[in-house]
Amino acid sequence: ETGVTQTPRHLVMGMTNKKSLKCEQHLGHNAMYWYKQSAKKPLELMFVYSLEERVENNSVPSRFSPECPNSSHLFLHLHTLQPEDSALYLCASSQDGGADYEQYFGPGTRLTVT
Amino acid sequence: GQQVMQIPQYQHVQEGEDFTTYCNSSTTLSNIQWYKQRPGGHPVFLIQLVKSGEVKKQKRLTFQFGEAKKNSSLHITATQTTDVGTYFCAGVDRGSTLGRLYFGRGTQLTVWP
């Protein structure tokens, strides 16, 4: 499945580092999402972009900064993270930002903050 | 706020046994989606239910949406080892126009050969 790709697949970073996660979708979709998946917690929606505009910011700390330069690319910029931010970060896309379409997930970036 | 509860959290079955996971919402849903995540993988869309009382089948999988559109279930008949994974329901709030899915915690299915 190569519809939604994410890089890197694994990332280890210190609390003072700055890094970025990248997501690319090849499906012609108009909406893209960032989710956080931690052990023992439901999938947490972080950000939603529809037609390159951020339409939802789900009370995410400012140390996470999204960027959507076009409808095919989505970034998550990370700085001064905490160990509790270690998780699987999943990108997803859907045909548009409405409620009727399934979401296609990328393989995720496994982030470890030391 | 919107909550989607899913039970059980874990289920261990012998191959050939049936399996069911249940999903309940605190509010009425416009639709509900089901996803499967294999160990080490990412969620993959299985199906969407929209109509009250809707039942859909995919081979050994049967999906139901409650009459009140507040609950749903996934039933697998005669499980196989390939069914191993975590099954998530995700409800879309009736008032949502942003495609926000509220995911349940998932049911982790283990199938013993």
Side-chain angles (χ1 to χ4, degrees):
Chain A
E1 300 173 14
T2 58
V4 181
T5 58
Q6 288 186 244
T7 55
R9 296 292 308 274
H10 300 272
L11 178 62
V12 179
M13 60 185 289
M15 289 190 284
T16 58
N17 292 156
K18 289 185 180 181
K19 296 287 184 183
S20 295
L21 310 184
K22 179 182 176 182
C23 175
E24 184 173 0
Q25 59 95 1
H26 311 273
L27 301 168
H29 289 167
N30 291 320
M32 297 187 77
Y33 312 79
W34 279 117
Y35 286 89
K36 177 183 179 183
Q37 187 174 39
S38 320
K40 302 179 183 178
K41 281 190 175 183
L43 272 166
E44 301 173 67
L45 179 65
M46 300 175 72
F47 301 103
V48 181
Y49 277 83
S50 180
L51 295 172
E52 303 153 44
E53 289 192 20
R54 190 192 308 181
V55 295
E56 183 155 346
N57 175 350
N58 196 26
S59 302
V60 178
S62 60
R63 57 186 184 269
F64 296 92
S65 174
E67 178 189 1
C68 187
N70 56 62
S71 60
S72 298
H73 294 86
L74 185 65
F75 294 89
L76 188 63
H77 304 299
L78 317 171
H79 67 97
T80 58
L81 294 192
Q82 304 298 311
E84 60 265 28
D85 297 322
S86 298
L88 180 67
Y89 288 85
L90 290 160
C91 173
S93 71
S94 64
Q95 189 167 330
D96 67 24
D100 297 330
Y101 300 100
E102 66 266 32
Q103 295 186 9
Y104 293 78
F105 285 81
T109 295
R110 174 69 62 185
L111 174 67
T112 303
V113 181
T114 61
Chain B
Q2 173 72 41
Q3 285 190 1
V4 174
M5 311 300 290
Q6 192 173 352
I7 56 169
Q9 189 173 354
Y10 303 98
Q11 186 76 55
H12 305 274
V13 300
Q14 195 81 29
E15 189 172 22
E17 293 181 338
D18 292 356
F19 158 77
T20 305
T21 173
Y22 301 90
C23 191
N24 290 286
S25 169
S26 56
T27 61
T28 303
L29 302 170
S30 64
N31 57 48
I32 194 159
Q33 299 178 8
W34 285 90
Y35 291 78
K36 176 183 178 181
Q37 185 172 16
R38 295 181 185 273
H42 56 276
V44 175
F45 174 79
L46 293 177
I47 208 161
Q48 175 170 267
L49 303 171
V50 179
K51 299 177 182 176
S52 169
E54 188 170 14
V55 178
K56 286 188 176 180
K57 292 191 175 184
Q58 289 180 350
K59 298 182 180 178
R60 295 178 293 102
L61 278 61
T62 301
F63 303 84
Q64 292 188 312
F65 201 10
E67 294 289 342
K69 300 184 76 172
K70 284 189 171 184
N71 57 73
S72 182
S73 65
L74 158 59
H75 179 82
I76 302 179
T77 304
T79 55
Q80 299 175 359
T81 54
T82 53
D83 295 325
V84 165
T86 301
Y87 293 84
F88 294 95
C89 62
V92 181
D93 188 279
R94 188 168 59 181
S96 169
T97 57
L98 297 176
R100 177 167 186 173
L101 290 176
Y102 292 87
F103 280 84
R105 287 177 178 269
T107 296
Q108 186 175 318
L109 173 64
T110 303
V111 181
W112 302 106

